[in-house]
Amino acid sequence: MIEMTTAVYEETKKDINEAYRQKRKSKIQKETSFILSQIITLMMSQFKDRLYGISADSFDLNETYIFSDENQRMLLKWLDRFILLNSPISDLEFGKLKIDLESWYLQIGGKNLRFFYREDYLLTPTEAAKALGVSRVTLNKYVKSGLEVADTNSHSKIPRHAIELWKDPIYGIKMQMLYQKKKLATQTPKERLREVQEKILDFQLKYKKPTSSEAFAGMDVDSLDDPYDYWEWRDLEKEREKLMKKLMGEADVQ
């Protein structure tokens, strides 16, 4: 475990606040990189029973975010976690730490932070479905929605913390949002269009109508007990239109 004395904690906290007070960009970048490296080192050293590696892609710093008050608060928050984090911690708390780190990593300009798990920390799909009390079919739906999957040499498996996060009302949603952000950051417009088309097809088959407006014609959507399908379907149709225009524009250029 990383040891951070009270003196080092106070000095680092002072350096962060001073860098933002003076608006010293080079110092802010340095403190951001320092905190990031310390978190990764902390996780590598403290969670050897779960992880055997973490790799971070090179990235361009998001200066707009890094120089913001929000990043200052995040740096101080991470600093506090160094002090408060004690070993051992539960799979749920480990998962929360990982989700928060990945979310922040994307905000500061990172693209992909990869975690390599030990084999005995992973569950087979059958074991994961049993732990969640669902069928394999439902588990596959969860995976498509954002339930974390670790790709191994043999087949995909589920990290133990992902099961606990999925049950958590807040972090279950955070995991799904993170999944979407990561996918959007790496997907090509053509790949995204295929995914959008597939989701729209699911709605078309469910409601036996070609469009959301036809499926919900004459209904007061706001009065429905669960208008989620309408709003998602409508947004997907709008996204499909934008993607088609983008792709057709690229085709015209070529």
Side-chain angles (χ1 to χ4, degrees):
M1 178 176 177
I2 294 177
E3 295 292 341
M4 180 174 284
T5 64
T6 301
V8 172
Y9 167 83
E10 293 295 341
E11 188 64 28
T12 304
K13 184 176 180 180
K14 178 181 176 181
D15 288 343
I16 291 172
N17 287 328
E18 189 67 13
Y20 278 90
R21 187 184 69 80
Q22 297 181 353
K23 301 186 184 303
R24 294 174 55 191
K25 292 186 176 182
S26 61
K27 182 63 175 175
I28 291 172
Q29 290 176 338
K30 180 179 178 182
E31 294 299 335
T32 299
S33 297
F34 171 74
I35 293 295
L36 175 62
S37 66
Q38 289 299 295
I39 300 168
I40 293 176
T41 303
L42 166 68
M43 296 188 75
M44 285 288 295
S45 64
Q46 187 168 343
F47 305 125
K48 293 178 180 179
D49 58 330
R50 297 175 170 100
L51 297 166
Y52 68 84
I54 301 176
S55 69
D57 293 345
S58 58
F59 60 88
D60 296 324
L61 292 176
N62 179 356
E63 293 189 356
T64 301
Y65 178 80
I66 286 178
F67 301 142
S68 69
D69 292 341
E70 173 63 22
N71 192 52
Q72 180 182 9
R73 287 192 291 269
M74 286 302 299
L75 292 176
L76 296 173
K77 184 177 178 179
W78 281 117
L79 192 58
D80 287 338
R81 289 177 94 161
F82 289 145
I83 298 297
L84 298 175
L85 187 61
N86 293 311
S87 183
I89 68 170
S90 67
D91 290 338
L92 176 59
E93 292 305 314
F94 169 77
K96 289 180 178 180
L97 183 70
K98 176 186 178 291
I99 291 291
D100 289 343
L101 173 58
E102 286 190 282
S103 298
W104 181 58
Y105 182 75
L106 291 177
Q107 287 179 304
I108 64 176
K111 298 297 183 185
N112 190 26
L113 196 61
R114 299 183 63 196
F115 291 77
F116 303 94
Y117 301 104
R118 297 197 176 279
E119 187 65 27
D120 59 2
Y121 186 65
L122 300 173
L123 299 174
T124 66
T126 299
E127 292 171 334
K130 183 177 180 180
L132 287 169
V134 299
S135 66
R136 283 288 301 275
V137 173
T138 300
L139 181 72
N140 289 336
K141 292 181 179 178
Y142 289 172
V143 169
K144 289 181 179 180
S145 296
L147 179 69
E148 184 182 353
V149 171
D151 291 323
T152 64
N153 292 330
S154 53
H155 47 75
S156 297
K157 293 187 176 181
I158 314 297
R160 293 180 184 274
H161 66 260
I163 302 298
E164 302 305 318
L165 287 174
W166 198 258
K167 298 175 184 177
D168 186 276
I170 295 177
Y171 274 85
I173 294 174
K174 282 188 175 184
M175 181 160 55
Q176 294 178 64
M177 291 174 63
L178 178 62
Y179 170 78
Q180 293 298 330
K181 287 180 180 179
K182 289 166 65 177
K183 188 160 61 172
L184 288 173
T186 57
Q187 270 186 327
T188 65
K190 197 171 184 178
E191 289 171 337
R192 177 58 184 168
L193 178 60
R194 290 196 188 100
E195 183 178 33
V196 168
Q197 294 277 36
E198 183 178 345
K199 290 181 178 180
I200 289 176
L201 178 60
D202 287 340
F203 282 124
Q204 291 171 332
L205 294 175
K206 179 178 178 179
Y207 289 93
K208 305 295 190 295
K209 296 290 183 179
T211 66
S212 60
S213 59
E214 291 177 84
F216 293 87
M219 297 185 189
D220 181 2
V221 177
D222 292 331
S223 67
L224 296 176
D225 291 336
D226 185 7
Y228 176 79
D229 279 4
Y230 170 75
W231 296 118
E232 184 182 13
W233 191 354
R234 191 196 66 170
D235 289 345
L236 286 169
E237 288 171 332
K238 289 181 178 180
E239 185 178 0
R240 179 181 60 184
E241 184 178 353
K242 290 180 180 179
L243 287 166
M244 286 296 294
K245 288 181 179 179
K246 179 178 178 62
L247 288 167
M248 294 301 290
E250 291 177 354
D252 291 341
V253 172
Q254 295 173 359

